[in-house]
Amino acid sequence: MKPYQALIWNEWRQMRNSAMTLGGVTVLLWLLMLAGCSDKAFVEYIEMGAFALAIGLPFLYCIVLADSFAREFGQKTDSFLLELPVSPSKIFFCKYFANLAVFLVLVALEVELMRLTPGRHFDGLHFEDGIMASVTLVLIWILAHAMVFLTSVLGKKTGNGIVAIIILPLPVMLLLPGTMAATMFFAVDETTWYATVTLLTLLALYGSCIGLSWYLWTCRISRGRKIFKPIATAFCLLLVLPWVLYGMAYCYTALELNSAIRAAKDAGMKQVFEPPVPPSASSQAAVAVINKLSREYEKRILHDKSLEMGLFERYERTRKFSFSQAEQAKLSKTADTILNTPEMCHFSNIMGNIQKSTDFRFMPYYQLDPAQIDWNAYLELEIICINWNHLLSHKATALLLKGDEKVFFECLGEFDPLLSALRKDTIGSWKAHEINMLEKKLSLAAIGPDTPEAAKYYEQYLKDIDGIAFLGPDTALFVLECMKSSDFIPRLMPLRGTVYEVTHNTLGRCLYLPRLQQSQAAWLKLEIRKKELIECTRQAASYPEIKADAYRLDQLSAKIPGLLKLFYGSGYPRNYAVIEYFYHKSRFEHFKICLALKIYRARHGKFPDSMQQLVPGILPKVPINPFTGTDFGYRTDKDGFILFMNPNETRGSFFEYHPLKTMEKTK
């Protein structure tokens, strides 16, 4: 028999009794749990126990099996090993790999047995958390085995395995800053970075344990030399080297961030914004009442089975259908019910008081510091904006159906107080709500009456459209300052992806700080590019003119490392702000055409044959579609008209208008 085969066989003879005992105990535990599963009252507890045993038993195997060299020292056979005609390195690796093989066989046996226990916990272990969870868990077990093996060489006596398992998290934490610093420049995605950090930390520590064990056995113990110096050197390296790497990464990312801030200031980005005027007590009270009325109104309307709300909302939202006389009668009845509900009457009174008031200052609550933001208040005020919009649109649609022209336009004026308040938001966090509310107001105007009195309102709306700011102020430096002063850091969850949350974990924030600075610097540099693109956007006539630049910005933003990638939104293109700008501009250009067509009909009694007839009496030029860069398509249709996204379309209308016959009778 060859020497290394004899060494492996000798290792197996020394540990076979322990291995068989552990295997027998594992099988016995499994059989007991299977027997307990026959009683449904204990199934859940057995499931949890099996899951805990599947994770915890390998650590017991480490303690019992991995003290291979400690047994040699305890039985005084270490000198016999060294006298064999085999190198110390071959002795070490034969003993280690034989020991590791038995350990892994036992681990595989117990995991499979525990998985055979009925329960839902093990489905997650191998599938829900993915390969990363399984690999990490196996590496932790192997690392624990290597730690016990190292203490077996160091302590020269059995019983040190428990200490090795207890102190295992300590070297992991000591090594973590170095691995985080070393990998942060090579991984963009956070989940990938966390997975890399986890695996690299475990592998580096495992390699250190095996390397130190081998060095102590072959270069120290086998030669009768003391082992204190290499142990002290290894401990110092473990303590100092990771933090040296961390310090280098911190300094580099801090310089990058400061450089990006200077570049942003040179590009004209603002850093200080005036805070909003706080809302008055009467304004807060009015808003609270409107919110309450909206909820009560929804309950009343939803529970009224006699209402044709589906038909009503189809008319309000699409306006792409001609309605029969019977449908118009149902719409009129629904409009009467809506206008006469107690909530809508109370809402009208409140809106009248708001319009007369001089101190109405409803300002949306915002705080861009994620560590202090009150999400409940933020979401509540979002709901208030939606409810306000909803009530007003229902009221205006009902008034339109009843043919009350004067009150209809007064109702459209009730959008203005909230629009004015949203417009005063200096940070621009509520710009989307302002644009959506303006769209709702103008979409209602687009199906309004075609009388000369109505044309006066439409002419004013045309002027208002030209003054709309589709983009909010640049706030990159403001956001950055808020973030730098906050405690917003990600919780490290490499087994289930990345979860961002507010936490006050000082150690976690300290470890993450270089990565945060790296992410902030990359994000700010991209914001400078984005600002330049926005300036081009304001000057461009259509999206196709800057589509290539927007696409390049999209590609660059995909490479932003760290959590600030979320600022561009999940599921949206990174150049979403540019696309959204042209989309909204396209919508408002279409509103321009609709209002101009209605003004033309009010003056001439019919819609024009082509949009060129709107120029120059109503519009200075025919608007193009900013989203496509082409003209809008237009044709008359019976008593109304149809708009298309481009002149080549013959179906799939963008907007249709057919005045109701009941409205025609009221003119």
Side-chain angles (χ1 to χ4, degrees), residues 493-507:
M493 292 187 63
L495 301 187
R496 291 183 177 271
T498 305
V499 176
Y500 294 95
E501 66 170 16
V502 176
T503 176
H504 299 284
N505 186 333
T506 305
L507 178 60

Side-chain angles (χ1 to χ4, degrees), residues 100-383:
L100 180 63
V102 175
F103 168 74
L104 291 177
V105 169
L106 275 177
V107 168
L109 172 67
E110 70 92 17
V111 169
E112 288 304 313
L113 287 177
M114 295 306 168
R115 286 187 66 241
L116 292 176
T117 305
R120 60 186 180 276
H121 296 82
F122 296 97
D123 296 333
L125 182 62
H126 286 278
F127 301 103
E128 289 181 7
D129 292 333
I131 297 175
M132 177 61 193
S134 302
V135 170
T136 302
L137 195 55
V138 171
L139 280 178
I140 291 173
W141 289 336
I142 295 175
L143 175 59
H145 179 271
M147 281 288 291
V148 177
F149 206 82
L150 174 61
T151 57
S152 173
V153 176
L154 291 175
K156 299 183 179 181
K157 61 179 180 179
T158 57
N160 291 333
I162 297 176
V163 177
I165 298 298
I166 293 174
I167 67 171
L168 180 60
L170 179 61
V172 172
M173 291 303 299
L174 290 175
L175 198 58
L176 197 58
T179 53
M180 291 179 74
T183 56
M184 61 184 288
F185 299 102
F186 305 100
V188 174
D189 180 69
E190 289 294 85
T191 302
T192 303
W193 182 52
Y194 291 150
T196 304
V197 168
T198 302
L199 295 178
L200 183 60
T201 302
L202 296 177
L203 288 173
L205 192 56
Y206 170 74
S208 300
C209 290
I210 297 303
L212 183 59
S213 301
W214 169 82
Y215 178 78
L216 292 176
W217 171 253
T218 58
C219 300
R220 292 286 172 169
I221 296 174
S222 63
R223 300 178 184 179
R225 301 169 64 181
K226 294 182 179 180
I227 62 174
F228 176 76
K229 186 176 180 180
I231 295 173
T233 303
F235 180 75
C236 290
L237 287 174
L238 183 63
L239 191 63
V240 174
L241 184 60
W243 289 101
V244 169
L245 293 174
Y246 172 88
M248 293 171 63
Y250 175 85
C251 293
Y252 177 78
T253 55
L255 289 172
E256 285 285 300
L257 179 57
N258 291 332
S259 175
I261 292 174
R262 287 194 298 271
K265 291 179 179 178
D266 293 340
M269 289 187 175
K270 294 174 64 178
Q271 190 169 9
V272 179
F273 291 85
E274 294 295 327
V277 178
S280 62
S282 59
S283 302
Q284 288 180 317
V287 169
V289 172
I290 290 174
N291 198 32
K292 181 180 178 182
L293 286 176
S294 176
R295 294 171 184 171
E296 294 173 352
Y297 169 80
E298 288 291 338
K299 290 179 182 178
R300 183 183 297 276
I301 293 298
L302 290 176
H303 285 86
D304 193 340
K305 303 296 183 182
S306 65
L307 294 182
E308 296 286 340
M309 288 307 297
L311 192 65
F312 182 85
E313 292 183 353
R314 190 179 78 179
Y315 171 74
E316 178 194 3
R317 293 177 182 175
T318 63
R319 274 85 62 182
K320 291 187 179 181
F321 303 93
S322 297
F323 292 91
S324 66
Q325 291 290 341
E327 288 177 326
Q328 291 183 42
K330 293 177 181 178
L331 285 171
S332 180
K333 179 183 176 182
T334 302
D336 281 331
T337 305
I338 288 174
L339 291 174
N340 292 324
T341 57
E343 293 80 15
M344 189 62 77
C345 295
H346 193 183
F347 174 73
S348 298
N349 293 333
I350 293 174
M351 290 306 302
N353 294 331
I354 286 175
Q355 287 183 304
K356 296 175 184 177
S357 173
T358 58
D359 66 340
F360 180 76
R361 297 193 307 272
F362 166 68
M363 285 304 300
Y365 177 95
Y366 69 85
Q367 260 186 312
L368 294 183
D369 181 352
Q372 300 176 4
I373 191 167
D374 185 348
W375 286 108
N376 291 328
Y378 187 92
L379 293 174
E380 183 179 350
L381 285 169
E382 274 201 321
I383 292 170

Side-chain angles (χ1 to χ4, degrees), residues 384-393 415 436-437 440:
I384 289 172
C385 288
I386 294 170
N387 289 344
W388 195 318
N389 201 355
H390 193 59
L391 280 169
L392 276 176
S393 61
F415 282 94
N436 290 337
M437 189 163 284
K440 175 59 71 174

Side-chain angles (χ1 to χ4, degrees), residues 24-38 42 46 117:
V25 170
T26 302
V27 173
L28 181 60
L29 284 172
W30 174 63
L31 293 174
L32 289 174
M33 286 188 290
L34 284 182
C37 287
S38 59
F42 296 102
I46 291 173
T117 305

Side-chain angles (χ1 to χ4, degrees), residues 26-79:
T26 302
V27 173
L28 181 60
L29 284 172
W30 174 63
L31 293 174
L32 289 174
M33 286 188 290
L34 284 182
C37 287
S38 59
D39 190 342
K40 295 183 179 180
F42 296 102
V43 169
E44 184 175 354
Y45 300 103
I46 291 173
E47 290 175 1
M48 295 173 61
F51 186 73
L53 287 173
I55 295 176
L57 276 178
F59 294 107
L60 175 63
Y61 299 162
C62 292
I63 296 170
V64 175
L65 298 178
D67 58 349
S68 176
F69 280 99
R71 286 195 300 269
E72 300 291 351
F73 292 124
Q75 298 170 6
K76 308 296 183 181
T77 56
D78 55 311
S79 56

